[in-house]
Structures are given as C-alpha cells and as structure tokens.
C-alpha cells in the first residue's frame, strides 16, 4: 500500500507510484497532473492516484513561500526566465543593435568605392555593393583582418528590403588577444530581419562575449496594424539560449507554437478610437490569447506557458522539475515591456 500524500507548507507531496492528479475542492479544477509534488494556495484539495484509484482529501492551511530548488527552472526564477525568453523572441536592443552594428573601424557611405581595403594591422576586407531584387546594401568579406588586437574572419551582408533591415552572416567571427591567449568576442551566422513592429531570425547562431549565445534560432515576433486596419500579434519558432555575462546564467531552449491573436479591422478601429494610425496606446494590453511557449533546460526542468485561458489578459504557467510541479495563472501585464519592445519603431 502506498504512502499517503504529505503537506509541507503550501506544497503537497506524494510518492512516485502512479499517475497522480491534484484537484481543488469543491470545483474539482485540475491543479497539477505531473511530478511528485504540487504548490498550491491554502484550501481543500483531493489527490487522486489514477493507477490505484485512491483518492485522498488534503487540507492546506499555509501559504509559506516555496523554497526554490537547485533546478535551472524553479519556483524562484521562472518569471525571470520567461522574461529572458520573451526578450529573445521580441528582439531587445542589447542584442538586436549588437547584431546590426558593423565593426566600428569601417567607415563608408554610398560613395565608397567597392573593392579590397587593407586593415590597420594586417589582412584585408572587401566591400561589395549589394543591389539586387532582394534589396540594396553592402557586403563585407574579411580575410584575416587584424585591427589593433581584434582579428576578423568571414562575411557580413547588410541591406534594406521592403522596409526591413536585414543582416546576414556567414561564419563571421571577431576574436581579441589577451594575456591568456585569443578569445572569441563575437560571431554570427544566419540572418535576421527587423522592421516596424516585426523581428525575425533564420538559422541564427549568434554569440556575444558581453551578452549571450543564441543557437539554432528560427523564430519571429510581430505586433502591427496591417494596411487593412487589422491589429495582430504573434510569437513563433525555436532557439537555444545561454547567458554568458553572468556566472549563473540560464542555459535553456524555447519553442513557441501558434502564440497569436488577430483583431478584425472593426475591433481594431473600436480600440484605436481617435488615436493616430500608428499610436499604440489602445493596444498596450492586447496580448496573445492562444498558443504555447515551452521552455526546457539541460537538467530536465521544464516550463509550459499556455495562452488558451479564455482571458486575453492571463496565461497559464506550469512548472516541472525533480523537486516540484505546479500550475499557476499569471498576468501577461507582468511581461508587458518585453512584449512591446521597440524594434525599429515597433508598435508598442
């Protein structure tokens, strides 16, 4: 016979001997369905073992804070991890501006002649004009280009196309010398595109010694009013992410699926009222109302956001690691700044 569930503060624990579910009483709303424990608010609950059929009534009287576990994603940091993931999806300035900044020693304009230019210390770089049906801009190929203590290799292309700023990298890297030997400071492969209210990455591998590392990035974000007058916001795609400027940085991967809302031109007009066409004030609290974002860490801890709560202002968050599993309802407004980031005058 299995042991009965145990209440410790605001956490219900049960043995790992079946599939357990925690339901709130009297409404019998499902609170937790995975793991071996569940963090809940004070109240009455029933713990059901669906393998043995055992039902145990539980009273939780305490609302003591949960002591975070050592898992990468835990009850003490999940909101910050969500914030970091949303910042990557929506393109915060720390790395979007970094991605779009060409090496600062390059000085050129539309009158700069294409061809080979020699670097200050050794090597060279080649400038090509980029003028095709895909847009207008410049391409740069670096051949062991040494400037002071920085060595650059690979290629970069920067151009404009239909109102979007696009950067493409092909194994571009910048390394710096130090007393301990050379170290990588920056690298990029793949492409990114940003425009008013839109940001996307394709096959992006990006590293910044001062910020973060993004690998296998194929994702997009948009928050715009279309030419037809309809407002929409969407998050989609996947990436792996690691902070590199802190010793305890997160190392996670994220996947957004069908996180989306679209208002009709009539609904948009009703919200917009007398505001100017691109004034975002009416839409500051319009968030996705469907879709999911799943965040996982190398240690197996996992977080799932589900926007299908029936309320555009809330999102369900379920957390699972070796020590705890629980579900909670959060307000999108907690991450409003991340969801309205300013990417080239993005609607915000």
């Amino acid at each position: 016979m299995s042991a009965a569930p145990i209440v410790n503060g605001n956490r219900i624990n049960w043995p790992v001997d079946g599939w357990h579910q925690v339901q709130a009483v009297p409404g019998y709303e499902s609170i937790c369905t995975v793991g071996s424990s569940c963090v809940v608010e004070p109240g009455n609950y029933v713990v059901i073992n669906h393998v043995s059929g055992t039902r145990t009534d539980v009273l939780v009287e305490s609302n003591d804070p949960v002591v975070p576990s050592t898992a990468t994603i835990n009850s003490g940091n999940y909101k910050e991890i969500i914030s970091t993931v949303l910042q990557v999806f929506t393109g915060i300035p720390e790395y979007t501006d970094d991605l779009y900044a060409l090496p600062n020693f390059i000085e050129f304009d539309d009158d700069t002649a294409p061809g080979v230019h020699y670097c200050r210390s050794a090597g060279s770089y080649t400038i090509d004009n980029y003028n095709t049906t895909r847009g207008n801009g410049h391409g740069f190929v670096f051949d062991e280009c040494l400037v002071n203590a920085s060595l650059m290799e690979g290629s970069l292309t920067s151009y404009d196309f239909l109102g979007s700023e696009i950067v493409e990298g092909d194994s571009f890297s910048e390394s710096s010398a130090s007393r301990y030997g050379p170290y990588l400071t920056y690298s990029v492969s793949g492409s990114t595109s940003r425009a008013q209210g839109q940001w996307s990455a394709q096959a992006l591998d990006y590293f910044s010694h001062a910020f973060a590392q993004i690998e296998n990035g194929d994702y997009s974000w948009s928050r715009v009013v279309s030419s037809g007058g309809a407002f929409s916001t969407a998050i989609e795609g996947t990436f792996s992410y690691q902070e590199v400027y802190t010793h305890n940085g997160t190392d996670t991967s994220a996947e957004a699926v069908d996180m989306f809302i679209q208002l009709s031109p009539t609904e948009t007009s009703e919200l917009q009222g007398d505001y100017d066409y691109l004034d975002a004030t009416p839409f500051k609290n319009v968030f996705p109302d469907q879709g999911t974002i799943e965040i996982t860490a190398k240690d197996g801890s996992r977080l799932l956001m589900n926007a299908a709560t029936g309320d555009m202002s809330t999102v369900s968050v379920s957390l699972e690691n070796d020590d705890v599993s629980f579900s909670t309802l959060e307000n999108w407004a907690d991450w409003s700044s991340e969801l309205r980031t300013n990417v080239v005058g993005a609607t915000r």
Side-chain angles (χ1 to χ4, degrees):
M1 184 175 180
S2 64
I6 298 173
V7 176
N8 182 10
N10 63 348
R11 179 184 296 179
I12 305 171
N13 302 274
W14 55 84
V16 185
D17 62 350
W19 171 40
H20 290 76
Q21 181 183 32
V22 177
Q23 295 180 348
V25 176
Y28 296 99
E29 174 191 2
S30 179
I31 305 299
C32 292
T33 59
V34 294
S36 59
S37 64
C38 183
V39 175
V40 296
E41 299 290 333
N44 292 292
Y45 300 87
V46 59
V47 180
I48 306 169
N49 185 333
H50 288 283
V51 174
S52 66
T54 304
R55 300 171 64 93
T56 305
D57 293 324
V58 172
L59 173 63
V60 176
E61 298 179 292
S62 173
N63 196 26
D64 292 339
V66 179
V67 178
S69 73
T70 58
T72 300
I73 305 174
N74 61 63
S75 58
N77 69 3
Y78 73 92
K79 283 195 171 183
E80 289 76 14
I81 287 179
I82 291 173
S83 175
T84 297
V85 165
L86 290 177
Q87 287 173 358
V88 175
F89 272 122
T90 59
I92 61 170
E94 281 82 352
Y95 83 96
T96 55
D97 289 347
D98 189 42
L99 274 164
Y100 280 78
L102 294 172
N104 57 19
F105 75 91
I106 296 178
E107 297 181 0
F108 76 100
D109 54 32
D110 291 338
D111 296 326
T112 301
V116 177
H117 299 258
Y118 293 99
C119 299
R120 189 172 304 156
S121 302
S124 64
Y125 64 97
T126 303
I127 298 179
D128 289 322
N129 291 330
Y130 194 92
N131 187 357
T132 71
T133 56
R134 293 180 56 198
N136 301 313
H138 297 84
F140 307 87
V141 179
F142 299 87
D143 183 10
E144 297 184 350
C145 176
L146 182 63
V147 178
N148 298 329
S150 295
L151 177 67
M152 282 151 281
E153 294 274 13
S155 64
L156 289 171
T157 303
S158 175
Y159 61 96
D160 297 329
F161 178 61
L162 297 179
S164 296
E165 299 176 24
I166 299 171
V167 165
E168 296 177 348
D170 185 0
S171 300
F172 175 80
S173 65
E174 180 176 352
S175 301
S176 295
S178 75
R179 60 184 296 182
Y180 304 106
Y183 66 94
L184 182 66
T185 57
Y186 180 89
S187 66
V188 62
S189 290
S191 65
T192 61
S193 174
R194 64 179 183 177
Q196 184 170 315
Q198 299 179 57
W199 163 250
S200 66
Q202 299 80 39
L204 177 65
D205 289 325
Y206 159 80
F207 173 86
S208 170
H209 176 72
F211 177 56
Q213 181 173 355
I214 298 171
E215 294 182 327
N216 303 316
D218 282 286
Y219 54 92
S220 63
W221 163 83
S222 65
R223 185 178 170 89
V224 298
V225 178
S226 71
S227 59
F231 172 86
S232 67
T233 182
I235 303 173
E236 191 83 30
T238 62
F239 61 84
S240 296
Y241 173 88
Q242 183 176 13
E243 292 178 351
V244 296
Y245 63 91
T246 60
H247 293 295
N248 58 349
T250 57
D251 187 354
T252 60
S253 60
E255 179 179 14
V257 179
D258 297 330
M259 182 80 60
F260 180 77
I261 183 174
Q262 180 162 333
L263 305 180
S264 68
T266 300
E267 292 169 324
T268 303
S269 178
E270 290 174 353
L271 272 177
Q272 190 166 318
D274 295 330
Y275 290 95
D276 294 336
Y277 176 68
L278 285 178
D279 193 311
T281 303
F283 311 110
K284 65 181 180 180
N285 291 319
V286 180
F287 305 118
D289 67 351
Q290 68 179 51
T292 60
I293 295 179
E294 182 177 11
I295 306 171
T296 57
K298 286 187 175 181
D299 63 359
S301 53
R302 172 180 175 270
L303 181 153
L304 180 68
M305 303 176 68
N306 190 338
T309 64
D311 178 2
M312 193 185 300
S313 65
T314 64
V315 60
S316 168
V317 177
S318 300
L319 177 65
E320 175 186 345
N321 58 45
D322 289 340
D323 298 317
V324 65
S325 62
F326 74 94
S327 298
T328 182
L329 204 63
E330 302 287 354
N331 293 313
W332 274 122
D334 291 345
W335 300 286
S336 59
S337 60
E338 290 86 348
L339 290 164
R340 296 196 302 273
T341 186
N342 186 17
V343 176
V344 195
T347 301
R348 66 189 189 98

